[in-house]
């Protein structure tokens, strides 16, 4: 047995595959063991009777170990304006979002934002996130640093805009490539982090900026692209007015060469059948953001329509349009919205959307997303006994499927005992980062 290995023993629950495509995807073990090597990788899944001698065991019986959540759409510079009252998308952007994002020009404010953001995600059980970052380079560097401090795996994109936003947020087309080059080539990023090409949406990028983005992508074909699409009816009308020669919202991104298998299109509520067919041909992903879609009154996403068209779907909180930081809590809204569409999703579908789907969308499925040997040990340890009423509820479940469903519907931050990234418990680093916020007045 390699030096430095250890074992976590408890209830294990994850997906071996995509449950929308194959049966028998849910893996549930009431009492299982993960052997974790000194480098933070899952070496093996074992039964308790198979435990090798001499390897320290952390006894987590009474807890459930889930894979860390993967939030595929979330805005860092909106961490302090989540729960902003009373507006729909376009007026919400004007009234709250753009003024807040301008504040990240101040490096001290940006450091506080980064610390709060990474702490909020990690303590909610999110271990990997694809992030809309700032236009200000120092703010993005602070974001990578805060993420590394707590162990959050972050793919971050400077949010590119050059029209219809305050002047301080604009990047001229000829400077747009530099925004990404600075992070991609010149900044020493932590391992398992990344940079995403991030033109905000069709309304805030001129054709010239979109073209630059397309060229940058052609030179960096493995890079992720993230943007918004078909979120709000007024937004769609404005896109139509701005690009009258194009047949659809999607065509704006298609024309710029931005659609591929590593493209994440946030919201996609009013996407037409023709657009869905094109997304499927390109292999692009839709990111369902249920919390935000409800909070901003944007509309109801159809998982069914996307799947019927062959479009894959993952999940995002979309903070600050989203009203909470927990992707696990978003599952309750995913379920309710699917019910309104006539479909009752199973526990395995919900868990997939919060974990393995995001890993696949980011192209990181060989490293994260489930508890498969060979993957990083990114885990959420949920204490099933901390709340006696939750414990009592779970005692009334007959099998793993039922238990997981009840657990996902009741899982709150208070039930999370620990979050592990690379097998390392991140509670102490998290407490330190949160403490640094409390101890400074910014
Ligand atoms: N569309 C363009 N920018 C944004 C944003 O910051 N949040 C949401 N929800 N939609 C957008
Ligand atoms: Zn968004």
């Amino acid at each position: 047995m390699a030096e430095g290995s250890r074992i976590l023993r408890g209830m294990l629950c994850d997906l071996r595959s995509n449950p929308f495509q194959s049966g028998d995807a849910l893996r549930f073990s009431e009492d299982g063991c993960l052997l974790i090597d000194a480098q933070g990788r899952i070496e093996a899944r074992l039964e308790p009777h198979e435990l090798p001698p001499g390897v320290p065991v952390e006894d987590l019986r009474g807890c459930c170990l889930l894979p860390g959540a993967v939030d595929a759409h979330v805005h860092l510079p909106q961490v302090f304006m989540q729960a902003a009252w009373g507006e729909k998308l376009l007026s919400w952007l004007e009234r709250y979002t753009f003024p807040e994002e301008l504040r990240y020009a101040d490096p001290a404010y940006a450091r506080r934002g980064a610390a709060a953001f990474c702490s909020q995600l990690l303590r909610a059980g999110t271990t990997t996130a694809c992030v809309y970052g700032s236009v200000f380079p120092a703010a993005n560097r602070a974001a990578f640093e805060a993420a590394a401090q707590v162990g959050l795996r972050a793919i971050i994109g400077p949010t590119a805009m050059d029209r219809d936003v305050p002047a301080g947020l604009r990047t001229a087309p000829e400077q747009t490539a530099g925004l990404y080059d600075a992070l991609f080539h010149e900044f020493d990023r932590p391992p398992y982090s990344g940079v995403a090409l991030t033109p905000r949406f069709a309304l805030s990028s001129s054709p010239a900026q979109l073209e630059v983005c397309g060229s940058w992508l052609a030179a960096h074909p493995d890079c992720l692209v993230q943007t918004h699409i078909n979120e709000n009816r007024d937004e769609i009308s404005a896109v139509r007015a701005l690009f009258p020669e194009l047949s659809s919202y999607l065509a704006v991104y298609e024309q710029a060469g931005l659609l591929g298998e590593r493209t994440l299109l946030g919201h996609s509520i009013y996407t037409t059948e023709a657009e869905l067919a094109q997304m499927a041909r390109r292999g692009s992903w839709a990111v369902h953001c249920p919390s935000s879609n409800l909070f901003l009154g944007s509309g109801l996403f159809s998982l069914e329509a996307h799947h019927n068209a062959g479009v894959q779907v993952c999940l995002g909180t979309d903070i600050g349009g989203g009203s909470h930081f927990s992707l696990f809590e978003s599952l309750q809204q995913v379920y309710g919205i699917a019910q309104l569409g006539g479909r009752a999703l199973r526990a395995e579908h919900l868990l997939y959307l919060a974990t393995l789907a995001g890993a696949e969308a980011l192209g990181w499925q060989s490293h994260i997303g489930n508890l498969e040997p060979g993957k990083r040990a990114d885990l959420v340890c949920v204490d099933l006994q901390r709340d006696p009423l939750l414990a009592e509820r779970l005692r009334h479940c007959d099998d793993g499927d039922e238990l997981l469903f009840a657990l996902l519907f009741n899982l709150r931050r208070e039930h999370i005992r620990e979050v592990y990234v690379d097998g390392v418990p991140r509670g102490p680093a998290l407490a330190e980062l949160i403490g640094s916020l409390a101890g400074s007045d910014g």
Side-chain angles (χ1 to χ4, degrees), residues 90-131:
L90 297 181
S91 53
W92 174 84
L93 287 169
E94 293 275 334
R95 178 173 168 190
Y96 297 115
T97 314
F98 297 147
E100 175 63 13
E101 295 196 4
L102 273 168
R103 297 192 180 104
Y104 282 69
D106 171 4
Y109 192 89
R111 276 195 301 277
R112 290 176 67 76
F117 177 84
C118 295
S119 305
Q120 287 277 22
L121 288 190
L122 198 87
R123 75 174 180 175
T126 295
T127 50
T128 299
C130 194
V131 180

Side-chain angles (χ1 to χ4, degrees), residues 290-336:
S291 168
S292 168
N293 295 345
L294 294 173
F295 182 78
L296 292 175
S298 299
L300 300 176
F301 176 89
S302 172
L303 192 65
E304 201 86 350
H306 285 75
H307 281 168
N308 288 345
V311 177
Q312 302 212 76
V313 176
C314 56
L315 209 58
T317 57
D318 193 33
I319 285 293
S323 52
H324 53 244
F325 291 87
S326 167
L327 208 59
F328 291 115
E329 284 184 40
S330 282
L331 295 178
Q332 298 152 32
Q333 295 164 324
V334 170
Y335 181 82

Side-chain angles (χ1 to χ4, degrees), residues 73 75 78 89 92-93 97-98 101 132 159 200-201 204 228 231 235 249 267 292-293 296 298 318-322:
H73 184 125
H75 298 254
Q78 298 177 14
L89 177 64
W92 174 84
L93 287 169
T97 314
F98 297 147
E101 295 196 4
Y132 285 69
T159 301
R200 181 176 213 120
F201 70 154
S204 58
H228 297 82
E231 175 177 2
E235 170 210 18
Y249 196 149
H267 302 280
S292 168
N293 295 345
L296 292 175
S298 299
D318 193 33
I319 285 293

Side-chain angles (χ1 to χ4, degrees), residues 17 23 46 48 59-60 98 101 113-114 130 164 166 169 179 187-188 311 325 359 392 415 424 427 434 440:
S17 57
L46 304 168
D59 189 348
L60 297 170
F98 297 147
E101 295 196 4
C130 194
D164 245 16
L169 291 178
L179 203 58
F187 176 62
D188 191 14
V311 177
F325 291 87
E392 182 60 26
H415 304 130
V424 177
I434 296 172
S440 72

Side-chain angles (χ1 to χ4, degrees), residues 2-154:
E3 186 85 3
S5 294
R6 66 214 162 77
I7 286 163
L8 304 184
R9 176 175 182 180
M11 181 184 286
L12 306 180
C13 195
D14 74 332
L15 276 313
R16 56 169 71 79
S17 57
N18 177 347
F20 291 104
Q21 291 173 355
S22 59
D24 195 29
L26 183 64
R27 232 176 345 199
F28 177 81
S29 168
E30 202 158 346
D31 182 11
C33 300
L34 292 178
L35 177 62
I36 298 173
D37 72 16
Q39 284 72 46
R41 213 169 352 162
I42 299 172
E43 208 172 319
R45 293 170 70 114
L46 304 168
E47 299 292 324
H49 69 268
E50 297 172 321
L51 289 186
V55 181
V57 178
E58 194 174 339
D59 189 348
L60 297 170
R61 280 174 289 178
C63 297
C64 178
L65 291 169
L66 299 170
V70 181
D71 188 336
H73 184 125
V74 59
H75 298 254
L76 186 149
Q78 298 177 14
V79 60
F80 294 140
M81 54 146 288
Q82 154 259 10
W85 179 84
E87 304 289 351
K88 294 211 169 181
L89 177 64
L90 297 181
S91 53
W92 174 84
L93 287 169
E94 293 275 334
R95 178 173 168 190
Y96 297 115
T97 314
F98 297 147
E100 175 63 13
E101 295 196 4
L102 273 168
R103 297 192 180 104
Y104 282 69
D106 171 4
Y109 192 89
R111 276 195 301 277
R112 290 176 67 76
F117 177 84
C118 295
S119 305
Q120 287 277 22
L121 288 190
L122 198 87
R123 75 174 180 175
T126 295
T127 50
T128 299
C130 194
V131 180
Y132 285 69
S134 173
V135 282
F136 304 109
N140 293 324
R141 290 195 295 271
F144 277 119
E145 282 157 16
Q149 199 176 329
V150 286
L152 177 73
R153 302 187 196 282

